[in-house]
Amino acid sequence: MEQKKKKYQGRRAYLNDYEQDESGAYVYKGKVYLWKSPRKTALTKIWLLSAAAFAAQILAGCVPSVGMNGRAWVLLPYAGALAASVSLLWGSYTLTDGGEKIPEHIYKKSVEALPVRAILTIVLSGAAILGELVNLVWQSQFDGSVSGAVIYMVLESAGLILALLLRQTILGLEWEESEQQPL
Protein backbone atom coordinates (compact mmCIF):
# COMPACT_ATOMS: atom_id res chain seq x y z
CA MET A 1 0.00 0.00 0.00
CA GLU A 2 1.47 3.33 -1.07
CA GLN A 3 1.56 6.20 1.41
CA LYS A 4 0.01 9.50 0.43
CA LYS A 5 2.33 12.45 0.83
CA LYS A 6 0.96 15.11 3.13
CA LYS A 7 0.86 18.59 1.55
CA TYR A 8 2.05 21.32 3.86
CA GLN A 9 0.96 24.94 3.70
CA GLY A 10 2.15 28.15 5.32
CA ARG A 11 5.34 28.08 7.35
CA ARG A 12 5.98 24.41 6.66
CA ALA A 13 5.36 24.51 2.91
CA TYR A 14 9.07 23.92 2.27
CA LEU A 15 8.61 20.35 3.54
CA ASN A 16 6.79 19.58 0.28
CA ASP A 17 10.18 19.77 -1.48
CA TYR A 18 11.57 16.83 0.51
CA GLU A 19 10.93 13.31 -0.75
CA GLN A 20 11.74 9.97 0.78
CA ASP A 21 14.15 7.78 -1.19
CA GLU A 22 14.37 3.95 -1.24
CA SER A 23 16.47 3.84 1.94
CA GLY A 24 13.93 5.92 3.85
CA ALA A 25 16.07 9.06 4.01
CA TYR A 26 14.59 12.41 3.03
CA VAL A 27 16.17 14.13 0.03
CA TYR A 28 15.60 17.75 -0.99
CA LYS A 29 14.25 17.95 -4.56
CA GLY A 30 13.38 21.66 -4.75
CA LYS A 31 15.06 24.76 -6.08
CA VAL A 32 18.60 25.51 -4.83
CA TYR A 33 20.80 28.58 -4.99
CA LEU A 34 24.51 28.25 -5.64
CA TRP A 35 27.09 30.78 -4.46
CA LYS A 36 28.62 32.73 -7.33
CA SER A 37 30.39 35.10 -4.94
CA PRO A 38 33.38 33.71 -3.02
CA ARG A 39 31.55 32.00 -0.13
CA LYS A 40 34.26 32.10 2.54
CA THR A 41 35.07 35.77 1.97
CA ALA A 42 31.40 36.78 1.89
CA LEU A 43 30.53 34.83 5.04
CA THR A 44 33.52 36.27 6.89
CA LYS A 45 32.42 39.81 6.02
CA ILE A 46 28.78 39.06 6.90
CA TRP A 47 29.74 37.58 10.27
CA LEU A 48 32.09 40.45 11.12
CA LEU A 49 29.48 43.07 10.27
CA SER A 50 26.60 41.36 12.07
CA ALA A 51 28.71 40.58 15.17
CA ALA A 52 30.07 44.13 15.26
CA ALA A 53 26.55 45.59 14.94
CA PHE A 54 25.42 43.38 17.82
CA ALA A 55 28.47 44.36 19.91
CA ALA A 56 27.78 48.05 19.28
CA GLN A 57 24.22 47.59 20.56
CA ILE A 58 25.41 45.73 23.67
CA LEU A 59 28.04 48.38 24.40
CA ALA A 60 25.51 51.18 23.90
CA GLY A 61 23.34 49.56 26.55
CA CYS A 62 26.29 49.50 28.96
CA VAL A 63 26.91 53.26 28.84
CA PRO A 64 25.97 54.70 32.24
CA SER A 65 23.97 57.86 32.83
CA VAL A 66 22.17 58.25 29.53
CA GLY A 67 18.52 58.79 28.67
CA MET A 68 17.74 55.09 28.99
CA ASN A 69 17.21 55.65 32.71
CA GLY A 70 13.45 55.41 32.43
CA ARG A 71 12.98 57.32 29.18
CA ALA A 72 10.72 55.29 26.90
CA TRP A 73 11.63 57.31 23.81
CA VAL A 74 15.20 56.05 24.15
CA LEU A 75 14.71 52.69 25.84
CA LEU A 76 12.13 51.23 23.44
CA PRO A 77 14.04 51.98 20.22
CA TYR A 78 17.23 50.69 21.86
CA ALA A 79 15.52 47.43 22.86
CA GLY A 80 14.15 47.06 19.33
CA ALA A 81 17.57 47.75 17.77
CA LEU A 82 19.15 45.19 20.10
CA ALA A 83 16.55 42.57 19.13
CA ALA A 84 17.02 43.40 15.43
CA SER A 85 20.80 42.99 15.77
CA VAL A 86 20.23 39.56 17.36
CA SER A 87 18.08 38.78 14.32
CA LEU A 88 21.01 39.79 12.08
CA LEU A 89 23.20 37.28 13.90
CA TRP A 90 20.56 34.58 13.50
CA GLY A 91 20.21 35.30 9.78
CA SER A 92 24.01 35.10 9.40
CA TYR A 93 23.99 31.72 11.13
CA THR A 94 21.15 30.47 8.91
CA LEU A 95 23.05 31.54 5.80
CA THR A 96 26.24 29.87 7.02
CA ASP A 97 24.42 26.68 7.94
CA GLY A 98 22.92 26.46 4.44
CA GLY A 99 26.14 25.19 2.84
CA GLU A 100 27.40 25.57 -0.74
CA LYS A 101 24.01 24.75 -2.22
CA ILE A 102 21.31 26.64 -0.37
CA PRO A 103 17.75 25.29 -0.50
CA GLU A 104 15.10 27.84 -1.43
CA HIS A 105 13.59 28.00 2.07
CA ILE A 106 17.00 28.76 3.64
CA TYR A 107 17.65 31.37 0.92
CA LYS A 108 14.37 33.11 1.78
CA LYS A 109 15.05 33.00 5.53
CA SER A 110 18.56 34.38 5.19
CA VAL A 111 19.48 36.14 1.94
CA GLU A 112 16.05 37.68 1.36
CA ALA A 113 15.38 38.45 5.04
CA LEU A 114 18.73 39.93 6.11
CA PRO A 115 18.36 43.22 4.17
CA VAL A 116 14.95 43.78 5.78
CA ARG A 117 16.35 43.00 9.23
CA ALA A 118 19.21 45.41 8.56
CA ILE A 119 16.74 48.17 7.65
CA LEU A 120 14.88 47.50 10.89
CA THR A 121 18.15 47.81 12.82
CA ILE A 122 18.98 51.04 10.99
CA VAL A 123 15.60 52.62 11.68
CA LEU A 124 15.53 51.63 15.36
CA SER A 125 19.12 52.76 15.95
CA GLY A 126 18.26 56.08 14.33
CA ALA A 127 15.21 56.39 16.57
CA ALA A 128 17.36 55.69 19.65
CA ILE A 129 19.84 58.38 18.57
CA LEU A 130 16.98 60.82 18.00
CA GLY A 131 15.54 60.00 21.43
CA GLU A 132 18.88 60.71 23.10
CA LEU A 133 19.13 64.00 21.18
CA VAL A 134 15.69 64.92 22.52
CA ASN A 135 17.03 64.25 26.01
CA LEU A 136 20.01 66.52 25.41
CA VAL A 137 17.88 69.35 24.03
CA TRP A 138 15.20 68.96 26.64
CA GLN A 139 17.52 69.59 29.59
CA SER A 140 14.81 69.27 32.23
CA GLN A 141 14.49 65.57 31.31
CA PHE A 142 18.22 64.87 31.06
CA ASP A 143 19.85 63.71 34.26
CA GLY A 144 23.03 62.10 32.90
CA SER A 145 26.39 63.23 31.67
CA VAL A 146 26.79 64.77 28.24
CA SER A 147 29.86 62.62 27.56
CA GLY A 148 27.85 59.45 28.29
CA ALA A 149 25.14 60.60 25.89
CA VAL A 150 27.73 61.30 23.18
CA ILE A 151 29.32 57.85 23.66
CA TYR A 152 25.87 56.25 23.49
CA MET A 153 25.02 58.09 20.26
CA VAL A 154 28.39 57.17 18.72
CA LEU A 155 27.82 53.49 19.51
CA GLU A 156 24.28 53.60 18.13
CA SER A 157 25.63 55.33 15.01
CA ALA A 158 28.22 52.56 14.65
CA GLY A 159 25.46 49.94 14.86
CA LEU A 160 23.47 51.86 12.25
CA ILE A 161 26.43 52.11 9.85
CA LEU A 162 27.38 48.46 10.33
CA ALA A 163 23.81 47.35 9.59
CA LEU A 164 23.84 49.51 6.45
CA LEU A 165 27.12 47.92 5.31
CA LEU A 166 25.71 44.45 6.03
CA ARG A 167 22.66 45.22 3.92
CA GLN A 168 24.84 46.38 1.02
CA THR A 169 27.00 43.25 1.34
CA ILE A 170 23.99 40.91 1.23
CA LEU A 171 22.45 42.75 -1.72
CA GLY A 172 25.79 42.57 -3.55
CA LEU A 173 26.03 38.78 -3.36
CA GLU A 174 25.63 36.90 -6.62
CA TRP A 175 23.65 33.68 -6.81
CA GLU A 176 22.94 31.07 -9.44
CA GLU A 177 19.50 29.52 -9.35
CA SER A 178 19.27 25.82 -10.10
CA GLU A 179 16.22 23.57 -10.44
CA GLN A 180 15.73 20.12 -8.97
CA GLN A 181 19.22 19.38 -7.68
CA PRO A 182 19.15 16.89 -4.85
CA LEU A 183 21.27 17.91 -1.87
Side-chain angles (χ1 to χ4, degrees):
M1 185 172 184
E2 187 177 319
Q3 284 186 347
K4 284 188 175 182
K5 185 176 177 187
K6 183 177 178 181
K7 290 291 181 184
Y8 292 95
Q9 295 178 350
R11 278 183 35 178
R12 297 182 185 260
Y14 70 92
L15 294 174
N16 295 328
D17 293 331
Y18 287 88
E19 295 177 5
Q20 204 168 17
D21 64 3
E22 298 83 30
S23 66
Y26 284 93
V27 178
Y28 182 75
K29 301 280 185 166
K31 188 185 304 182
V32 295
Y33 291 85
L34 306 170
W35 287 84
K36 284 181 76 179
S37 303
R39 182 175 185 262
K40 186 175 180 180
T41 306
L43 285 176
T44 301
K45 187 174 182 182
I46 290 167
W47 270 107
L48 286 174
L49 290 171
S50 61
F54 174 70
Q57 292 299 328
I58 291 292
L59 290 172
C62 294
V63 175
S65 301
V66 294
M68 291 197 315
N69 295 336
R71 306 293 187 264
W73 55 85
V74 179
L75 185 58
L76 292 176
Y78 166 75
L82 178 63
S85 66
V86 169
S87 180
L88 289 177
L89 280 175
W90 183 253
S92 299
Y93 167 75
T94 304
L95 179 60
T96 304
D97 197 38
E100 289 288 334
K101 298 176 182 177
I102 299 180
E104 184 178 27
H105 61 94
I106 300 292
Y107 181 85
K108 287 180 179 179
K109 289 193 311 188
S110 58
V111 177
E112 289 181 0
L114 273 170
V116 176
R117 294 173 185 180
I119 287 175
L120 185 61
T121 305
I122 291 165
V123 168
L124 291 169
S125 291
I129 293 167
L130 186 62
E132 190 61 31
L133 283 172
V134 166
N135 278 340
L136 284 174
V137 172
W138 194 6
Q139 286 293 324
S140 65
Q141 292 295 312
F142 186 69
D143 55 0
S145 70
V146 173
S147 62
V150 170
I151 292 170
Y152 173 77
M153 288 188 291
V154 166
L155 288 168
E156 282 293 332
S157 297
L160 185 148
I161 291 166
L162 290 164
L164 180 63
L165 290 172
L166 177 65
R167 182 177 189 281
Q168 290 173 343
T169 301
I170 294 293
L171 292 176
L173 293 177
E174 295 180 24
W175 299 92
E176 182 180 321
E177 192 175 321
S178 179
E179 293 286 334
Q180 301 296 325
Q181 277 197 352
L183 294 176

